[in-house]
């Protein structure tokens, strides 16, 4: 039986080998890039094997009731929570979903990009992939976020949110490559981790277990003939932080979802949004820092937390180096 500890401790390479061995009779894989596990339910679950932390976890610290986990090495909830989550769904679901484990998401969605390229070529991937009705990724911070990125299928959004999730805005993830190529709607759901990409990252286990229960429901509902195939519908203007363009529409999104202060310049806006989106700070912390140090401190904090500065490109728009 899968345990969260057994998913947290291994390196990406060891976890890749473990999963490939576990599913060896039912997989398509590209070494060091991705593992695709064939399913019978028409739904695909996605998670990535890598974390940003340099050293593997050696110690897991838990609070008294075991509901919150941390590690001095960085717990790696992003995205070991997702890996654990989709494995538990697979174990629990009566009809098994498809699983996609990707590598090196944190350095540019490398595995997902290779998988998307393989989908485009249609060479050795199973033909039954065309029967998939939707994609669910478990790779989002928090408790009940649902991020749809460039997908604008409102029926799918309504279905996901009917399970207790709430639409949020995110930057980028593996499904941004996979969903358009497969042609079906996709969502990235919370998995109970906070303060991602820092050694202060922690996991709230009951929140992760709640998400797992909801995904099991969706997997079991997907086999019903009445469950539709949710088409991937591209937004007229896909709203992602990595595609940082300042149209009127984008400013409206920033105001609606992030309530970005109007006195920030474009670079400061991006820093503000990314610090919130990746979970480095909450809004009150950012407002306290702005009040004490000024708006330009957001750029300094962003560079400290993200490990790279924001710079303007030749058109004067924010660009990450």
């Amino acid at each position: 039986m899968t345990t969260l500890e057994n998913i947290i401790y291994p390196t990406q390479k060891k976890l890749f080998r473990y999963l490939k061995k576990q599913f060896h009779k039912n997989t398509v894989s590209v070494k060091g890039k991705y593992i695709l596990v064939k399913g019978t339910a028409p739904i695909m679950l996605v998670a990535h094997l890598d974390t940003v932390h340099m050293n593997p976890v050696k110690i897991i610290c838990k609070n008294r009731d075991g509901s919150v986990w941390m590690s001095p090495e960085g717990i790696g909830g992003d995205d070991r929570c997702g890996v654990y989550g989709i494995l538990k769904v697979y174990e629990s679901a009566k009809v098994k979903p498809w699983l996609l484990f990707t590598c090196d998401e944190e350095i540019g969605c490398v595995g997902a990009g290779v998988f998307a390229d393989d989908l485009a070529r249609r060479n050795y991937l199973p033909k039954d992939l065309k029967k998939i009705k939707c994609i669910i990724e478990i790779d989002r911070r928090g408790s009940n976020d649902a991020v749809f990125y460039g997908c604008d299928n409102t029926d799918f959004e309504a279905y996901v949110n009917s399970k207790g999730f709430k639409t949020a805005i995110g930057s980028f993830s593996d499904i941004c490559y996979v969903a358009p190529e497969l042609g079906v709607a996709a969502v990235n759901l919370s998995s109970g981790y906070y303060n991602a990409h820092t050694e202060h990252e922690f996991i709230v286990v009951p929140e992760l277990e709640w998400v797992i229960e909801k995904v099991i429901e969706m997997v079991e509902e997907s086999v019903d003939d009445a469950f539709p195939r949710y088409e991937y519908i591209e937004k007229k203007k896909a709203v992602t932080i990595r595609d940082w363009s300042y149209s009127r529409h984008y400013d409206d999104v920033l105001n609606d979802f992030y309530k970005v202060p109007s006195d920030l310049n474009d670079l400061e806006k991006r820093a503000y949004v990314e610090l919130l989106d990746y979970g480095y700070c909450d809004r009150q912390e950012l407002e306290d820092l702005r009040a004490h140090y000024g708006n330009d401190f957001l750029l300094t904090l962003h560079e400290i937390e993200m490990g790279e500065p924001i710079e303007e490109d030749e058109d004067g728009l924010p660009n990450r180096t």
Side-chain angles (χ1 to χ4, degrees):
M1 178 178 292
T2 301
T3 66
L4 184 54
E5 288 97 333
N6 289 344
I7 300 303
I8 287 174
Y9 282 120
T11 63
Q12 176 176 236
K13 289 182 179 180
K14 289 182 178 179
L15 190 54
F16 187 95
R17 290 196 297 267
Y18 166 77
L19 293 170
K20 188 174 179 181
K21 182 178 180 180
Q22 182 176 355
F23 294 105
H24 72 280
K25 294 181 179 180
N26 204 27
T27 64
V28 174
S29 66
V30 174
K31 185 176 181 180
K33 303 301 180 184
Y34 68 82
I35 299 172
L36 174 68
V37 180
K38 300 175 186 176
T40 50
I43 190 169
M44 178 185 285
L45 310 183
V46 181
H48 66 85
L49 303 182
D50 60 317
T51 75
V52 300
H53 303 296
M54 298 298 294
N55 299 311
V57 172
K58 296 179 180 179
I59 301 171
I60 295 177
C61 306
K62 303 178 184 179
N63 67 345
R64 185 168 297 178
D65 65 6
S67 62
V68 179
W69 296 17
M70 295 183 69
S71 172
E73 296 80 35
I75 192 70
D78 178 9
D79 188 31
R80 297 303 174 85
C81 285
V83 174
Y84 169 77
I86 69 175
L87 286 170
K88 293 301 290 185
V89 172
Y90 190 91
E91 289 178 0
S92 302
K94 297 175 183 177
V95 184
K96 305 303 182 185
W98 293 71
L99 304 180
L100 177 63
F101 300 100
T102 66
C103 297
D104 296 330
E105 188 269 355
E106 298 290 2
I107 58 172
C109 300
V110 175
V114 172
F115 179 70
D117 289 343
D118 287 347
L119 280 173
R121 290 194 293 267
R122 309 284 183 187
N123 28 12
Y124 54 81
L125 292 179
K127 294 181 180 179
D128 284 349
L129 279 167
K130 64 183 179 182
K131 297 180 181 179
I132 289 174
K133 297 177 178 179
C134 63
I135 303 170
I136 297 174
E137 182 175 18
I138 304 180
D139 181 27
R140 172 72 179 180
R141 66 177 175 84
S143 60
N144 67 338
D145 284 2
V147 182
F148 300 89
Y149 304 108
C151 181
D152 198 24
N153 188 316
T154 55
D155 291 337
F156 181 62
E157 182 176 354
Y159 170 71
V160 172
N161 288 343
S162 74
K163 297 296 182 181
F165 295 95
K166 184 178 180 181
T167 299
I169 295 296
S171 55
F172 205 83
S173 71
D174 284 335
I175 56 174
C176 296
Y177 282 114
V178 177
E181 197 61 55
L182 200 55
V184 294
V187 63
N188 188 9
L189 300 179
S190 287
S191 55
Y193 69 75
Y194 295 83
N195 296 336
H197 299 184
T198 76
E199 292 181 355
H200 303 292
E201 183 182 15
F202 63 92
I203 299 168
V204 181
V205 177
E207 294 180 356
L208 172 57
E209 297 293 348
W210 178 83
V211 173
I212 291 170
E213 291 176 7
K214 295 300 178 180
V215 176
I216 291 171
E217 288 180 17
M218 289 187 271
V219 169
E220 294 182 346
E221 289 170 1
S222 72
V223 302
D224 193 313
D225 290 340
F227 191 94
R229 184 181 189 274
Y230 290 104
E231 179 186 0
Y232 183 84
I233 300 172
E234 185 76 35
K235 278 186 171 71
K236 291 183 179 179
K237 173 57 184 174
V239 179
T240 65
I241 294 173
R242 295 187 189 188
D243 181 22
W244 190 265
S245 58
Y246 283 92
S247 62
R248 180 181 180 85
H249 170 70
Y250 201 92
D251 281 336
D252 289 343
V253 171
L254 290 176
N255 291 332
D256 290 344
F257 285 92
Y258 288 103
K259 298 180 174 61
V260 176
S262 59
D263 61 329
L264 301 181
N265 64 34
D266 286 351
L267 290 174
E268 293 162 351
K269 283 182 181 180
R270 177 165 180 174
Y272 191 96
V273 171
E274 289 202 357
L275 288 164
L276 286 176
D277 183 62
Y278 283 97
Y280 293 121
C281 300
D282 61 31
R283 190 178 310 281
Q284 188 58 54
E285 289 174 320
L286 286 182
E287 290 304 311
D288 290 344
L289 290 169
R290 285 204 316 131
H292 188 75
Y293 295 107
N295 290 344
D296 58 354
F297 182 74
L298 295 171
L299 303 180
T300 302
L301 181 62
H302 181 281
E303 183 172 356
I304 292 170
E305 298 289 7
M306 306 291 278
E308 56 186 3
I310 299 175
E311 295 182 353
E312 291 185 357
D313 63 21
E314 60 185 8
D315 297 318
L317 297 176
N319 182 37
R320 291 176 69 172
T321 58

